[in-house]
Structures are given as structure tokens and as C-alpha cells.
Amino acid sequence: MPYVLIGAVISAISASFVPDAFVEKYLGNDNPLAILLASVIGVPLYLRIEMAIPLLKVLIGKGMSMGAAMALLIGGTGASLPEIAIVSSMLKPKAVAAFVASIVAMAIIGGYIFYVLF
């Protein structure tokens, strides 16, 4: 339940302070780099699915493309800075880079699949 409330607060802040034009310009269907940008933004964020869904609902309402939303969702829930820190304490830097690169690649691929389908 606390994660749902945190997600609602983040969504409310996003709905209030992030301009629609900003979301449409950088994360909308007209920007060919929106999916790449969303996947890279998603990885350092610590998004739990309970927080991501309300946030994405707000961002999609502001003009975010479905592909960018999926890329942000995959990147944000697939890897985060705390997870990268934990993985880096157990693995060598090359393995950590491979982990992050695989998450970003899957986010980009998933984003483009949703971009084509929706």
C-alpha cells in the first residue's frame, strides 16, 4: 500500500508540474529518439510497478507515446541504481555493464514493439 501512495504522489506532482508540451516534444510519437530517451531515463529511476503505473497513466495523458511508456516501464523496473549497486558488489564491472546494457536493450526493443503495435 505505501508504494501505491508514493506512486500517486509522484503522479500528482507530474500532472501538476510537468508541462504537456515537454512530454509531447521529448517523449511523444513525433520524436524518433523518445524510446531511447525513455529507456535511458528509466534505468536510474527506482520504479516499482505500483509506482510506475499511475505515473505512466499521467505521462500518457500528457502525450507520451506507448512505446516510450513501455521503454520507461521496462528500464525502470528492470534495473535501478540500488540494484546496480548490489550487482556491482558481486560482479566485475564488465558483468555489471552487460547487465545494464541488456536491460536498456530490452527496454528499447519492447518500446519499439509497442510503438509499432500501438
Side-chain angles (χ1 to χ4, degrees):
M1 187 64 170
Y3 297 113
V4 175
L5 294 176
I6 292 169
V9 168
I10 292 171
S11 298
I13 291 169
S14 298
S16 300
F17 296 113
V18 177
D20 295 355
F22 179 83
V23 175
E24 288 177 17
K25 180 178 179 182
Y26 293 106
L27 298 172
N29 279 329
D30 295 337
N31 185 358
L33 298 177
I35 293 170
L36 177 64
L37 181 64
S39 65
V40 171
I41 289 171
V43 168
L45 295 178
Y46 179 64
L47 288 178
R48 295 188 46 92
I49 196 69
E50 297 90 355
M51 293 170 30
I53 291 173
L55 176 63
L56 290 175
K57 182 178 180 190
V58 169
L59 292 174
I60 290 170
K62 288 181 172 277
M64 182 182 220
S65 72
M66 289 298 290
M70 183 54 62
L72 183 72
L73 181 65
I74 294 170
T77 57
S80 66
L81 288 180
E83 290 172 348
I84 293 169
I86 291 169
V87 169
S88 68
S89 71
M90 296 183 290
L91 302 174
K92 294 181 180 179
K94 284 185 180 180
V96 175
F99 169 71
V100 173
S102 66
I103 297 296
V104 170
M106 290 299 110
I108 292 169
I109 291 168
Y112 278 110
I113 289 172
F114 266 71
Y115 176 76
V116 170
L117 294 177
F118 300 103

